[in-house]
Amino acid sequence: MASKRPASPVTIESLNPKVLKCEYAVRGEIVSVAQKLQQDLQANPGSLPFEEILYCNIGNPQSLGQKPITFFREVLALCDHPCLLGKKETCSLFSADSIKRALTILDQMPGRATGAYSHSQGIKGLRDTIAAGIEARDGFPADPNDLFLTDGASPGVHMMMQLLIRSENDGILCPIPQYPLYSASIALHGGTLVRYYLDEATGWGLEISELNKQLETARQKGITVRALVVINPGNPTGQVLAEENQRQIVDFCKKEGLVLLADEVYQENVYAPDKKFNSFKKICRSMGYGDKDIPLVSFQSVSKGYHGECGKRGGYMEVTGFSPEVRDQFYKMASVNLCSNISGQILASLVMSPPKVYLALSLGYASHGELVTQAYIQVGDESYDSYFSERDGILKSLARRAKTLEDAFNGLEGVTCNKAEGAMYLFPRIQLPKKAIKAAEEAKKAADAYYAIRLLKDTGVVVVPGSGFGQVPGTWHFRCTILPQEDKIPAIISQLTDFHKKFMDEYRD
Amino acid sequence: MASKRPASPVTIESLNPKVLKCEYAVRGEIVSVAQKLQQDLQANPGSLPFEEILYCNIGNPQSLGQKPITFFREVLALCDHPCLLGKKETCSLFSADSIKRALTILDQMPGRATGAYSHSQGIKGLRDTIAAGIEARDGFPADPNDLFLTDGASPGVHMMMQLLIRSENDGILCPIPQYPLYSASIALHGGTLVRYYLDEATGWGLEISELNKQLETARQKGITVRALVVINPGNPTGQVLAEENQRQIVDFCKKEGLVLLADEVYQENVYAPDKKFNSFKKICRSMGYGDKDIPLVSFQSVSKGYHGECGKRGGYMEVTGFSPEVRDQFYKMASVNLCSNISGQILASLVMSPPKVYLALSLGYASHGELVTQAYIQVGDESYDSYFSERDGILKSLARRAKTLEDAFNGLEGVTCNKAEGAMYLFPRIQLPKKAIKAAEEAKKAADAYYAIRLLKDTGVVVVPGSGFGQVPGTWHFRCTILPQEDKIPAIISQLTDFHKKFMDEYRD
């Protein structure tokens, strides 16, 4: 029997229902409203109660005025326009080590061309550099053949979901709150999101008992749980996992036969002095687990870190613990899209191998004839000092901004906010009055979305409602980045404070 | 009932079967063998009967020595490292119009930063430029809001397949032979590939009777055919569609309620003097069909054209003829991956708006007092001459290479090869002897794959077997790019000719 042709070939009803199910709050309704307001402001300056839209909804530092790291951009410019390397003016415009690095990278590329497709996993020489960077970070070997360079971390996450999810009977354990890429990707690939809740009371702690409970419940429903997603440092929650906790997580995955999907894109963003980032690969290896013991995928991105090169869409995944046959399937998937963009690939290598410096001993003979250390001298790349000061400046400023905003949130009526130990976000909890919740229900919005839209319309500050990330039912949050430049922070805080007071006065029960 | 946990968490058997089903010949077995041989050559020079691997398998011109267009790279370098714009040396290193263009582009970006995520569809100012380029090309309006900038054309194709395919009961009409991105993407999204055959005898003609026949057959099997893919100029077949044929295709889609997916990435690669590229958008509008009449998606890429900027992963799709609700879903899909890479976005705008020149009239008074044209003078961008000569040099050389290789293929025993009117490939047909087909069967390979692997091992020349693109059963082909630099072509032809003679001598029935 011939199937019927629809009157209009493409309607909402005739689209893939998995697409319809997918949600992505970070660029959802709130951003559409913000864009509309921005247009209004441009068309009629002074027509709104604020002068500019302050985008605190997304980890996009350079859009808010953060400057790129000079060394990275020098290398990118030279690789893209290698004619410069033959010009005498270039030595005065570029650092010696950026010139040297560009020459090295060009030698690693087919045709010395950033305009050529590379190996599907990324340029081998760049993967060598990244592997060396991982080794230096972890103290354990890394194999360039385990690396798949990607256009940011997102395509890698999609690829893993596509490989692992066969039907709605396959589940992926995800933290709640979570970065909505995970829920979106699981929905798009037709799997089941298996929620585990982070414990807000213990600073968004990840409890193994909770993992066990949710795994068991999912299995009882007939779900085959295939993987555990851990975001460390956390997004939107900002916690940095303790080493002991990471060991427990690894053992849980090993015992339960789960792939460990480790979102480690904020590995360079740690602000709490008593916290340190440990990659799950390092944890596994330090526990004596080798490549055969546990399937582990670590995602890294050039969009985050101190450099925040979001627009470059660079990143990689390090894939260990899979059989060669399964790896062949990863390779095939990477091949269908040919390769990730070469500037992003170069940047991923730079991020994992920035300018270096080391201390050398200057030796001499003392008056009594003995060989002694006369001085320590700093030896290294010409760019190191500027690189270090740029990086350090950004990270210290982010730490200050995180603390200032955290304190400000905690000073608001009915708001409690955990510390941002790392990442780029605060995720304060708001105790909303019943009257506000009712007003939101009437407006057919989640209560925190109602709050966020009101905040935007009153102040121009864009935050993402907690409901977009998931939260314990009945609790309300929003995610606010720590990324506006420091001179903007006081105004943001005062606007937020005024708004919050007004909102609470309006709705207080 | 709890589902069982597999002994090893991830096996081939436990992967998504859609992934297993997907094939991608352009980077398949032949490329793995080539990479292995290249390693052997590096380790033991002189150990093989050839000195280098000649990659004729993929449209990747810069990997084979083609130089990028200077103007494009000047703009990219300046946008990535805007510090240069403040330096006096820059004026001697860069053209005036590249500096001006970079300044314009920087002004269009949030934070003036190539390191910031953009609008999910791409930077608005760049979309304005691209829309103006489309209007200039077609003579019909283009709306920047219809443009979705993508990391090359592939992600756009995947997005459309993801939106349209609900189950294996949804089919997509694809040409055979086809670029395997389409079959791979349909397999990954679980749809049904509905083949229509191009007619080799009429220069890979696209017959409406064939479309009707295959559509009817598919419908009788209960398949809902949702879209028609047309690749123009053709890949791997190189034909350029005639305007009248395009009108028939548009009417077919309109009558049958199909989305027209127009792969137009080779629009700048037309070599036959009597042929001209017409976009399907222009054809539709010239037939009087507006936005409400036919859903049409046109894919464009910076990877192809004369510039061949494959590694930049830039491109766009122009999406017209969908309802606002459906468009919202496209936007949501684009948002889940945040945005395409900004260098690729910039390049897409440059490709659609390269340096320009126009003729101005110089007027004066003749001796009898009448106003007359004294001279035509060329007015325009400083880069225009170098841009034109680079572009023209590449396109003319590609046309020569296409003709030389076509003639060479047609000179081989049992080989017939249609003209490459456009694109970057030849797709010669080989009449293989029965003995060769039998030897291939014994080696468990398609006969043309057997031929291609033998060719590679004997000569270092990498071509893709026709079976990777699809072909009329019982016929055998291979795809060979026209991209090796001209000084390499004679050696390739002589190696191919020698190999073919030897192969035929060995297997002649």
Side-chain angles (χ1 to χ4, degrees):
Chain A
M1 191 194 72
S3 67
K4 282 219 185 75
R5 174 161 63 83
S8 168
V10 188
T11 59
I12 279 284
E13 295 72 28
S14 72
L15 287 181
N16 179 355
K18 293 173 191 165
V19 167
L20 298 178
K21 207 180 152 193
C22 159
E23 285 180 12
Y24 192 67
V26 174
R27 293 216 166 179
E29 188 204 357
I30 188 104
V31 179
S32 304
V33 176
Q35 284 168 351
K36 174 74 180 52
L37 292 175
Q38 187 157 22
Q39 286 164 8
D40 293 350
L41 267 183
Q42 275 159 359
N44 299 303
S47 62
L48 296 176
F50 46 86
E51 280 166 26
E52 62 175 326
I53 303 287
L54 286 156
Y55 288 97
C56 301
N57 59 309
I58 187 166
N60 193 13
Q62 292 192 29
S63 73
L64 300 177
Q66 183 178 306
K67 295 282 161 256
I69 301 293
T70 307
F71 174 78
F72 294 173
R73 293 309 189 90
E74 287 184 346
V75 176
L76 284 186
L78 291 170
C79 288
D80 264 353
H81 193 41
C83 301
L84 292 173
L85 291 162
K87 303 285 172 64
K88 63 178 191 310
E89 296 92 334
T90 299
C91 294
S92 66
L93 288 172
F94 292 83
S95 63
D97 53 334
S98 70
I99 293 172
K100 196 174 151 209
R101 185 72 75 97
L103 287 167
T104 304
I105 290 173
L106 287 168
D107 282 342
Q108 292 167 340
M109 297 199 281
R112 295 174 61 83
T114 59
Y117 294 127
S118 71
H119 185 282
S120 304
Q121 289 182 236
I123 293 163
K124 174 63 168 54
L126 299 178
R127 284 186 282 130
D128 291 341
T129 305
I130 294 170
I134 295 172
E135 286 188 12
R137 180 194 70 193
D138 291 346
F140 290 97
D143 184 341
N145 295 321
D146 291 343
L147 298 175
F148 287 74
L149 273 62
T150 49
D151 291 311
S154 306
V157 171
H158 286 304
M159 197 204 285
M160 290 311 304
M161 296 304 173
Q162 189 155 41
L163 282 154
L164 291 174
I165 295 172
R166 293 160 293 186
S167 75
E168 62 195 2
N169 292 327
D170 282 333
I172 309 288
L173 267 165
C174 283
I176 296 294
Q178 52 107 28
Y179 176 51
L181 166 66
Y182 294 97
S183 49
S185 188
I186 293 166
L188 279 176
H189 294 103
T192 294
L193 176 75
V194 180
R195 293 168 180 79
Y196 68 91
Y197 288 88
L198 301 175
D199 183 14
E200 186 163 13
T202 59
W204 302 111
L206 197 168
E207 300 295 332
I208 303 299
S209 57
E210 168 70 6
L211 293 180
N212 274 316
K213 183 178 122 190
Q214 300 297 351
L215 177 69
E216 206 38 55
T217 308
R219 285 185 176 158
Q220 277 165 8
K221 288 182 189 158
I223 303 292
T224 304
V225 178
R226 308 220 61 191
L228 169 72
V229 172
V230 179
I231 311 175
N232 179 43
N235 175 6
T237 44
Q239 85 285 17
V240 178
L241 294 179
E243 197 172 332
E244 180 49 32
N245 197 187
Q246 290 183 272
R247 290 170 178 265
Q248 296 169 337
I249 293 164
V250 168
D251 272 332
F252 170 78
C253 287
K254 188 163 158 48
K255 177 163 155 268
E256 301 297 344
L258 305 181
V259 178
L260 176 49
L261 300 174
D263 179 335
E264 300 182 327
V265 302
Y266 296 99
Q267 58 187 263
E268 288 156 312
N269 300 85
V270 177
Y271 313 118
D274 56 331
K275 291 285 184 148
K276 184 178 173 296
F277 167 76
N278 294 293
S279 78
F280 270 104
K281 169 110 173 297
K282 175 182 166 184
I283 297 293
C284 288
R285 296 296 174 268
S286 70
M287 293 169 78
Y289 295 144
D291 195 48
K292 295 230 174 337
D293 296 309
I294 181 162
L296 167 65
V297 184
S298 162
F299 300 97
Q300 166 66 315
S301 167
V302 307
S303 304
K304 309 304 168 185
Y306 51 90
H307 33 83
E309 291 277 14
C310 307
K312 292 294 170 194
R313 314 308 287 121
Y316 69 79
M317 50 180 189
E318 187 186 13
V319 173
T320 52
F322 294 88
S323 70
E325 298 74 39
V326 171
R327 284 280 296 269
D328 286 349
Q329 298 297 318
F330 294 3
Y331 177 80
K332 184 176 74 182
M333 285 299 90
S335 296
V336 173
N337 285 323
L338 298 163
C339 66
S340 62
N341 85 86
I342 305 295
S343 299
Q345 292 191 22
I346 293 172
L347 209 39
S349 82
L350 299 177
V351 160
M352 296 305 285
S353 176
K356 284 181 186 56
V357 76
Y358 50 92
L359 291 180
L361 297 184
S362 162
L363 299 177
Y365 289 95
S367 56
H368 53 281
E370 200 187 348
L371 191 66
V372 295
T373 301
Q374 289 192 316
Y376 289 93
I377 47 172
Q378 193 172 293
V379 182
D381 297 325
E382 181 184 317
S383 291
Y384 181 79
D385 286 343
S386 80
Y387 159 74
F388 179 83
S389 107
E390 289 170 4
R391 185 188 67 171
D392 195 51
I394 293 166
L395 286 172
K396 283 192 174 138
S397 168
L398 286 172
R400 283 193 300 270
R401 288 179 250 172
K403 185 78 182 80
T404 309
L405 283 164
E406 176 204 327
D407 290 346
F409 288 138
N410 280 316
L412 301 180
E413 178 188 352
V415 175
T416 51
C417 182
N418 278 324
K419 195 192 294 185
E421 298 174 337
M424 295 179 169
Y425 317 100
L426 289 159
F427 197 63
R429 177 172 175 183
I430 356 171
Q431 305 273 9
L432 288 171
K434 287 200 191 92
K435 228 163 106 184
I437 296 169
K438 190 151 175 286
E441 274 165 11
E442 279 162 16
K444 295 196 172 134
K445 287 196 194 310
D448 46 15
Y450 184 76
Y451 178 91
I453 291 273
R454 285 285 305 270
L455 172 66
L456 166 61
K457 289 184 174 170
D458 265 34
T459 65
V461 175
V462 193
V463 299
V464 186
S467 41
F469 303 91
Q471 52 200 350
V472 171
T475 69
W476 307 107
H477 300 78
F478 59 86
R479 187 184 82 164
C480 179
T481 71
I482 57 171
L483 297 175
Q485 293 294 292
E486 278 190 279
D487 57 352
K488 304 254 184 204
I489 301 281
I492 290 176
I493 289 175
S494 104
Q495 281 169 306
L496 251 164
T497 308
D498 291 351
F499 164 78
H500 187 78
K501 191 171 174 310
K502 216 177 71 182
F503 185 91
M504 294 302 275
D505 286 348
E506 184 178 343
Y507 290 105
R508 195 174 288 109
D509 294 321
Chain B
M1 192 193 73
S3 67
K4 281 220 185 73
R5 173 161 63 84
S8 168
V10 188
T11 59
I12 279 284
E13 295 73 27
S14 72
L15 288 181
N16 178 355
K18 293 173 191 165
V19 168
L20 298 178
K21 206 179 153 195
C22 159
E23 284 180 13
Y24 192 67
V26 174
R27 294 214 164 178
E29 188 204 357
I30 190 103
V31 178
S32 304
V33 175
Q35 284 168 350
K36 173 74 179 55
L37 291 175
Q38 188 157 20
Q39 286 165 7
D40 293 349
L41 267 183
Q42 275 160 359
N44 298 302
S47 61
L48 296 175
F50 47 85
E51 280 166 27
E52 63 175 326
I53 304 287
L54 286 157
Y55 288 97
C56 301
N57 59 306
I58 187 166
N60 193 13
Q62 292 192 29
S63 73
L64 300 176
Q66 183 179 306
K67 295 283 160 258
I69 301 294
T70 306
F71 173 78
F72 293 174
R73 293 308 190 92
E74 287 183 348
V75 177
L76 284 186
L78 290 170
C79 288
D80 264 353
H81 193 41
C83 300
L84 292 174
L85 291 161
K87 303 286 172 65
K88 64 179 189 309
E89 296 93 332
T90 299
C91 293
S92 65
L93 288 172
F94 292 83
S95 63
D97 53 334
S98 70
I99 293 172
K100 196 174 152 208
R101 184 74 74 99
L103 286 166
T104 305
I105 290 172
L106 286 169
D107 282 342
Q108 293 167 340
M109 297 198 281
R112 294 174 62 83
T114 59
Y117 293 128
S118 72
H119 185 283
S120 303
Q121 289 183 233
I123 293 163
K124 174 62 167 53
L126 299 178
R127 285 187 281 131
D128 291 340
T129 306
I130 295 170
I134 295 172
E135 286 188 10
R137 181 194 70 193
D138 290 347
F140 290 97
D143 184 341
N145 296 321
D146 291 343
L147 299 175
F148 288 74
L149 273 62
T150 49
D151 291 310
S154 305
V157 171
H158 286 305
M159 197 204 284
M160 290 311 303
M161 296 303 173
Q162 190 156 39
L163 282 154
L164 291 174
I165 296 173
R166 294 160 294 186
S167 75
E168 61 195 3
N169 293 328
D170 282 334
I172 309 289
L173 266 165
C174 283
I176 297 293
Q178 53 106 28
Y179 177 50
L181 166 66
Y182 294 96
S183 49
S185 188
I186 293 166
L188 279 176
H189 294 103
T192 294
L193 176 74
V194 180
R195 294 168 179 79
Y196 67 91
Y197 289 88
L198 301 174
D199 183 14
E200 186 163 12
T202 57
W204 301 112
L206 197 168
E207 301 294 334
I208 302 299
S209 56
E210 168 71 5
L211 293 181
N212 275 315
K213 183 179 121 189
Q214 300 297 352
L215 176 70
E216 207 37 57
T217 308
R219 285 186 176 160
Q220 277 165 8
K221 289 181 189 158
I223 303 292
T224 304
V225 178
R226 306 219 63 189
L228 169 73
V229 172
V230 179
I231 311 175
N232 179 44
N235 175 7
T237 44
Q239 86 283 16
V240 178
L241 294 180
E243 198 171 330
E244 179 49 31
N245 197 187
Q246 290 182 271
R247 289 170 179 264
Q248 295 168 338
I249 293 165
V250 168
D251 272 331
F252 170 78
C253 287
K254 189 165 159 48
K255 177 163 156 268
E256 301 298 344
L258 305 181
V259 178
L260 177 48
L261 299 174
D263 179 335
E264 301 182 326
V265 302
Y266 295 100
Q267 59 188 261
E268 288 155 311
N269 299 87
V270 177
Y271 312 117
D274 56 331
K275 291 285 183 145
K276 183 177 173 297
F277 167 77
N278 294 294
S279 78
F280 271 103
K281 169 109 173 296
K282 175 182 167 184
I283 297 293
C284 289
R285 296 297 174 268
S286 70
M287 293 169 79
Y289 295 145
D291 195 48
K292 293 230 174 338
D293 297 309
I294 181 163
L296 166 65
V297 184
S298 162
F299 300 97
Q300 167 67 314
S301 168
V302 306
S303 305
K304 309 303 168 186
Y306 54 90
H307 33 83
E309 291 277 15
C310 307
K312 292 296 171 194
R313 314 309 287 119
Y316 69 79
M317 49 180 190
E318 187 187 12
V319 174
T320 52
F322 294 88
S323 70
E325 299 75 38
V326 170
R327 284 280 295 270
D328 286 348
Q329 298 296 319
F330 295 2
Y331 177 80
K332 184 176 73 181
M333 286 297 90
S335 295
V336 174
N337 285 322
L338 298 163
C339 67
S340 63
N341 84 85
I342 305 297
S343 299
Q345 292 190 23
I346 293 172
L347 210 37
S349 82
L350 299 177
V351 159
M352 296 306 285
S353 177
K356 283 179 187 57
V357 76
Y358 50 92
L359 291 179
L361 298 183
S362 162
L363 301 177
Y365 289 95
S367 54
H368 54 280
E370 198 187 347
L371 191 66
V372 295
T373 301
Q374 288 192 317
Y376 290 93
I377 47 170
Q378 194 172 291
V379 183
D381 298 324
E382 182 185 317
S383 290
Y384 180 79
D385 286 343
S386 81
Y387 159 74
F388 179 82
S389 107
E390 289 171 2
R391 184 188 69 170
D392 195 52
I394 292 167
L395 286 172
K396 283 194 174 136
S397 169
L398 285 172
R400 284 193 299 270
R401 288 179 251 172
K403 185 76 182 81
T404 309
L405 282 164
E406 176 203 326
D407 290 346
F409 287 138
N410 280 316
L412 301 180
E413 178 188 351
V415 175
T416 50
C417 182
N418 278 325
K419 195 192 296 186
E421 298 174 338
M424 295 180 168
Y425 316 100
L426 289 158
F427 198 63
R429 177 174 175 182
I430 358 170
Q431 304 272 6
L432 288 171
K434 286 198 191 94
K435 231 164 103 182
I437 295 169
K438 192 153 174 284
E441 275 165 11
E442 280 162 16
K444 296 195 170 132
K445 285 195 193 311
D448 46 15
Y450 184 76
Y451 178 92
I453 291 274
R454 285 285 305 269
L455 172 67
L456 167 60
K457 288 185 174 169
D458 265 35
T459 65
V461 176
V462 193
V463 297
V464 186
S467 40
F469 303 91
Q471 52 200 349
V472 172
T475 69
W476 306 107
H477 300 77
F478 60 87
R479 187 184 82 164
C480 179
T481 72
I482 58 170
L483 297 174
Q485 292 295 290
E486 278 190 281
D487 57 354
K488 304 256 186 203
I489 301 281
I492 290 176
I493 289 176
S494 105
Q495 281 168 305
L496 251 166
T497 308
D498 292 351
F499 163 78
H500 187 77
K501 191 170 175 310
K502 216 177 71 182
F503 185 91
M504 293 303 273
D505 287 347
E506 185 178 340
Y507 290 107
R508 195 173 286 109
D509 294 320

